[in-house]
Amino acid sequence: MTNQELAQALTAAFLEELHEHVATMNTNLLALEKSPDPTQRQTHLKNLFRAAHTIKGSAQAANIDLIQQAAHRLEDILVPIRDGQRDFTPELFALLYQSADAFEEAGMRLREQRDLSDSPLMELLPRVEQAANAATRIELAATAATADSRGRQPTVPNATSHSSRDSGDSNDPLIAVAPTG
């Protein structure tokens, strides 16, 4: 098998699975919006995180950088939610739904062998990155507060931010931290 044939096979496998993972994202987002009990909430969060993680890894294997980057940043957004450091806001739900739609549309473009440079996902990426950067700041602040309460020096958790782009706009509703309790 040539490198080109391998790349085509990986892309084909990725596209077969993408629709399924987007459906998983949408199903779990809908369930989370309905405010399930804590056990169900954790299950839906795990499923949502797993879908984003799988999209990221599969896109990386297929060398589809835009989708890989966006999925990675969605993981960054979901970490502090999963860890109880922040909660969903209506704006964050909207961004996650838009991301799922943009993944689906990107998959359609790739099936048609079209470029992603002018895709909705490319247009959405700056907002996803801004929300991810805000999530990283929340995670770092929570880690520092936990370390401080234990009398230890804070440590940086896995250096989750991989982008230097950050508007610093603390008035952005995606950055708002909703109470988790």
PDB file of all heavy atoms in Angstrom, residues 1-11:
ATOM      1  N   MET A   1       0.856  -1.177   0.000  1.00  0.00           N
ATOM      2  CA  MET A   1       0.000   0.000   0.000  1.00  0.00           C
ATOM      3  C   MET A   1       0.898   1.236   0.000  1.00  0.00           C
ATOM      4  O   MET A   1       1.784   1.367   0.835  1.00  0.00           O
ATOM      5  CB  MET A   1      -0.909  -0.032   1.225  1.00  0.00           C
ATOM      6  CG  MET A   1      -1.830   1.164   1.330  1.00  0.00           C
ATOM      7  SD  MET A   1      -2.952   1.120   2.769  1.00  0.00           S
ATOM      8  CE  MET A   1      -4.247   0.058   2.166  1.00  0.00           C
ATOM      9  N   THR A   2       0.634   2.141  -0.910  1.00  0.00           N
ATOM     10  CA  THR A   2       1.415   3.374  -0.982  1.00  0.00           C
ATOM     11  C   THR A   2       0.968   4.336   0.113  1.00  0.00           C
ATOM     12  O   THR A   2      -0.102   4.168   0.719  1.00  0.00           O
ATOM     13  CB  THR A   2       1.239   4.061  -2.345  1.00  0.00           C
ATOM     14  OG1 THR A   2      -0.109   4.523  -2.452  1.00  0.00           O
ATOM     15  CG2 THR A   2       1.583   3.123  -3.498  1.00  0.00           C
ATOM     16  N   ASN A   3       1.767   5.360   0.350  1.00  0.00           N
ATOM     17  CA  ASN A   3       1.401   6.379   1.336  1.00  0.00           C
ATOM     18  C   ASN A   3       0.098   7.062   0.968  1.00  0.00           C
ATOM     19  O   ASN A   3      -0.718   7.366   1.835  1.00  0.00           O
ATOM     20  CB  ASN A   3       2.519   7.410   1.480  1.00  0.00           C
ATOM     21  CG  ASN A   3       3.691   6.877   2.267  1.00  0.00           C
ATOM     22  OD1 ASN A   3       3.585   5.872   2.968  1.00  0.00           O
ATOM     23  ND2 ASN A   3       4.830   7.535   2.137  1.00  0.00           N
ATOM     24  N   GLN A   4      -0.095   7.308  -0.315  1.00  0.00           N
ATOM     25  CA  GLN A   4      -1.332   7.953  -0.764  1.00  0.00           C
ATOM     26  C   GLN A   4      -2.539   7.045  -0.523  1.00  0.00           C
ATOM     27  O   GLN A   4      -3.580   7.512  -0.073  1.00  0.00           O
ATOM     28  CB  GLN A   4      -1.243   8.340  -2.233  1.00  0.00           C
ATOM     29  CG  GLN A   4      -2.470   9.099  -2.710  1.00  0.00           C
ATOM     30  CD  GLN A   4      -2.354   9.541  -4.161  1.00  0.00           C
ATOM     31  OE1 GLN A   4      -1.392   9.247  -4.844  1.00  0.00           O
ATOM     32  NE2 GLN A   4      -3.362  10.260  -4.622  1.00  0.00           N
ATOM     33  N   GLU A   5      -2.383   5.770  -0.783  1.00  0.00           N
ATOM     34  CA  GLU A   5      -3.483   4.830  -0.542  1.00  0.00           C
ATOM     35  C   GLU A   5      -3.788   4.721   0.949  1.00  0.00           C
ATOM     36  O   GLU A   5      -4.956   4.651   1.353  1.00  0.00           O
ATOM     37  CB  GLU A   5      -3.135   3.445  -1.108  1.00  0.00           C
ATOM     38  CG  GLU A   5      -3.115   3.397  -2.620  1.00  0.00           C
ATOM     39  CD  GLU A   5      -2.528   2.093  -3.160  1.00  0.00           C
ATOM     40  OE1 GLU A   5      -1.708   1.452  -2.446  1.00  0.00           O
ATOM     41  OE2 GLU A   5      -2.902   1.731  -4.283  1.00  0.00           O
ATOM     42  N   LEU A   6      -2.737   4.728   1.764  1.00  0.00           N
ATOM     43  CA  LEU A   6      -2.925   4.697   3.210  1.00  0.00           C
ATOM     44  C   LEU A   6      -3.665   5.949   3.680  1.00  0.00           C
ATOM     45  O   LEU A   6      -4.606   5.860   4.471  1.00  0.00           O
ATOM     46  CB  LEU A   6      -1.585   4.572   3.926  1.00  0.00           C
ATOM     47  CG  LEU A   6      -1.634   4.582   5.458  1.00  0.00           C
ATOM     48  CD1 LEU A   6      -2.476   3.427   5.985  1.00  0.00           C
ATOM     49  CD2 LEU A   6      -0.224   4.538   6.029  1.00  0.00           C
ATOM     50  N   ALA A   7      -3.249   7.100   3.182  1.00  0.00           N
ATOM     51  CA  ALA A   7      -3.915   8.363   3.556  1.00  0.00           C
ATOM     52  C   ALA A   7      -5.379   8.335   3.144  1.00  0.00           C
ATOM     53  O   ALA A   7      -6.255   8.769   3.910  1.00  0.00           O
ATOM     54  CB  ALA A   7      -3.195   9.546   2.910  1.00  0.00           C
ATOM     55  N   GLN A   8      -5.682   7.824   1.963  1.00  0.00           N
ATOM     56  CA  GLN A   8      -7.069   7.735   1.504  1.00  0.00           C
ATOM     57  C   GLN A   8      -7.876   6.776   2.378  1.00  0.00           C
ATOM     58  O   GLN A   8      -9.031   7.048   2.704  1.00  0.00           O
ATOM     59  CB  GLN A   8      -7.114   7.305   0.040  1.00  0.00           C
ATOM     60  CG  GLN A   8      -6.643   8.382  -0.916  1.00  0.00           C
ATOM     61  CD  GLN A   8      -6.511   7.866  -2.355  1.00  0.00           C
ATOM     62  OE1 GLN A   8      -6.437   6.671  -2.612  1.00  0.00           O
ATOM     63  NE2 GLN A   8      -6.471   8.810  -3.294  1.00  0.00           N
ATOM     64  N   ALA A   9      -7.261   5.659   2.767  1.00  0.00           N
ATOM     65  CA  ALA A   9      -7.953   4.693   3.621  1.00  0.00           C
ATOM     66  C   ALA A   9      -8.235   5.289   5.002  1.00  0.00           C
ATOM     67  O   ALA A   9      -9.330   5.096   5.555  1.00  0.00           O
ATOM     68  CB  ALA A   9      -7.122   3.415   3.744  1.00  0.00           C
ATOM     69  N   LEU A  10      -7.263   6.006   5.557  1.00  0.00           N
ATOM     70  CA  LEU A  10      -7.471   6.641   6.866  1.00  0.00           C
ATOM     71  C   LEU A  10      -8.553   7.709   6.800  1.00  0.00           C
ATOM     72  O   LEU A  10      -9.388   7.821   7.705  1.00  0.00           O
ATOM     73  CB  LEU A  10      -6.156   7.231   7.375  1.00  0.00           C
ATOM     74  CG  LEU A  10      -5.103   6.235   7.833  1.00  0.00           C
ATOM     75  CD1 LEU A  10      -3.777   6.939   8.105  1.00  0.00           C
ATOM     76  CD2 LEU A  10      -5.571   5.469   9.064  1.00  0.00           C
ATOM     77  N   THR A  11      -8.553   8.476   5.738  1.00  0.00           N
ATOM     78  CA  THR A  11      -9.580   9.507   5.577  1.00  0.00           C
ATOM     79  C   THR A  11     -10.953   8.875   5.422  1.00  0.00           C
ATOM     80  O   THR A  11     -11.932   9.337   6.025  1.00  0.00           O
ATOM     81  CB  THR A  11      -9.258  10.416   4.371  1.00  0.00           C
ATOM     82  OG1 THR A  11      -7.999  11.062   4.617  1.00  0.00           O
ATOM     83  CG2 THR A  11     -10.333  11.476   4.168  1.00  0.00           C
TER      84      THR A  11
END
